[in-house]
Amino acid sequence: MTVEGKHIAIVGAGLVGSGWAVVFARAGHDVRVYDPSEAVRRGVLSWAKSTLSSLHSAGLLDDPTGVLERIDIVDSMAGAVRGAAYIQESVFETVEAKSSVSLEIDRYLSAHAVVGSSSSGIPASRFTESCENRTRFLVAHPVNPPHLVPVVELVPAPWTDPLAIDRARQLMGEVGQVPVTLQREVDGFILNRLQGALLNEAFALYSEGYSSISDIDATVRAGLGLRWLFMGPFETIDLNAPSGIADYAARLGPMYHQMALSRRDPQPWSPETIKAAEAERRTLLPFDQLAQRREWRDHVLARLSAFKLTEGIP
């Protein structure tokens, strides 16, 4: 998706939107960032400066100053969206908020511009139907933080023009993301449905007293997660049986089916379980250390990204 002479617009400049600004500016695009909150707008450049410095230290960026200079904070929706080749919307995750901002973006949309929403589970059909240019709206769901975790899910509404999906996919590949295209909408898309399956089972095992939170986390961190860093579930099982995926299914498929049958009546995460989980987590990580731990997470993700780059792992 060639955007020479045009810029990228970011609408909504929280953690996700600011991360998107870094993604596009890092790839050489001029970026205009808008958020209705003046306080949020004021914080974008200082956050970006710190983040770009960390990426530089990890060997993931050569010129942090040059990248920062390509990010421009504007004080109106029109100033961000007019003339943009692509708009990434990252506002609050409600149908009402996304419907309102989509209609406003639609007012200023240039011909052929594409709009991607950072919606993490709400399909675009629920908030773009009334847009005049709805054929150019889709979901472009990243993982937080998008500048460190590259996958992005591209999900069309029933009316999204296939060309808009193709252009968004091309752009995402050009800026270093890993685009995953869904053929049709489903609540939660792929990533959060997979994450939800794991979380639901983790909460169930915890609430039923099988293990502690720290040991469940250790099972993923020191077990499943090590393989999932560079392989998906299908490749994992393909390599885990002598004759590949069909052999694995023959050996272990019945076991997984029985486990699935044991969860035929999934329960919501109960307030009691959430309270217990919160208490255990706060003994492991006090509340006043959450922000510091997020910074540590991002530092580790940067180092892992650098390692994957040297190994040629997408």
Side-chain angles (χ1 to χ4, degrees):
M1 180 179 178
T2 302
V3 293
E4 293 178 5
K6 296 185 177 181
H7 65 276
I8 303 294
I10 305 296
V11 176
L15 290 175
V16 173
S18 295
W20 272 121
V22 167
V23 167
F24 292 114
R26 179 177 60 190
H29 294 291
D30 292 328
V31 179
R32 295 182 193 172
V33 180
Y34 170 71
D35 192 282
S37 167
E38 183 181 353
V40 171
R41 294 198 302 269
R42 283 200 307 265
V44 172
L45 290 181
S46 60
W47 177 88
K49 183 178 181 180
S50 174
T51 297
L52 292 168
S53 177
S54 296
L55 293 175
H56 178 65
S57 298
L60 294 172
L61 193 65
D62 293 330
D63 182 18
T65 300
V67 174
L68 190 65
E69 289 174 349
R70 288 192 286 273
I71 300 175
D72 184 23
I73 311 302
V74 299
D75 59 7
S76 71
M77 177 76 78
V81 174
R82 278 185 176 142
Y86 178 82
I87 299 92
Q88 184 70 39
E89 169 268 301
S90 302
V91 302
F92 195 63
E93 185 85 1
T94 67
V95 172
E96 293 75 20
K98 289 191 176 292
S99 296
S100 176
V101 80
S102 294
L103 286 170
E104 191 174 1
I105 289 171
D106 193 43
R107 289 174 54 196
Y108 305 112
L109 201 59
S110 299
H112 309 300
V114 173
V115 184
S117 172
S118 295
S119 171
S120 60
I122 305 173
S125 61
R126 295 180 61 190
F127 56 85
T128 66
E129 183 174 8
S130 298
C131 294
E132 181 179 348
N133 298 291
R134 68 180 189 172
T135 60
R136 290 185 274 135
F137 281 74
L138 60 132
V139 164
H141 169 230
V143 178
N144 188 25
H147 61 287
L148 293 172
V149 185
V151 76
V152 53
E153 298 180 291
L154 304 178
V155 191
W159 44 77
T160 303
D161 187 339
L163 181 60
I165 288 284
D166 292 343
R167 295 179 68 210
R169 186 178 179 96
Q170 181 183 348
L171 176 63
M172 292 302 167
E174 289 173 356
V175 300
Q177 302 301 95
V178 178
V180 174
T181 303
L182 277 70
Q183 302 305 311
R184 61 185 186 278
E185 292 182 331
V186 60
D187 286 348
F189 318 135
I190 292 176
L191 187 141
N192 276 324
R193 291 184 76 89
L194 291 173
Q195 180 171 242
L198 181 59
L199 278 172
N200 285 333
E201 185 62 26
F203 263 105
L205 291 169
Y206 176 67
S207 68
E208 292 164 4
Y210 287 106
S211 191
S212 66
I213 276 181
S214 58
D215 280 353
I216 292 171
D217 274 356
T219 302
V220 177
R221 182 185 67 246
L224 296 171
L226 286 177
R227 294 183 301 209
W228 288 349
L229 175 64
F230 57 94
M231 294 190 299
F234 288 113
E235 184 175 6
T236 295
I237 67 171
D238 194 34
L239 301 181
N240 272 7
S243 298
I245 191 169
D247 186 16
Y248 187 96
R251 294 167 183 259
L252 297 176
M255 178 191 73
Y256 285 114
H257 180 61
Q258 285 302 121
M259 287 190 291
L261 290 175
S262 71
R263 297 292 183 207
R264 294 293 291 274
D265 184 27
Q267 299 298 310
W269 305 346
S270 71
E272 296 78 16
T273 299
I274 295 170
K275 183 177 180 180
E278 172 71 15
E280 186 173 333
R281 278 300 302 162
R282 295 292 72 84
T283 63
L284 298 168
L285 181 69
F287 184 81
D288 60 4
Q289 295 179 21
L290 276 169
Q292 181 181 353
R293 188 66 170 177
R294 289 190 191 102
E295 291 180 5
W296 169 85
R297 175 202 65 187
D298 289 356
H299 175 68
V300 172
L301 282 171
R303 294 176 64 190
L304 287 172
S305 296
F307 167 75
K308 291 180 73 175
L309 187 64
T310 62
E311 295 296 319
I313 302 170

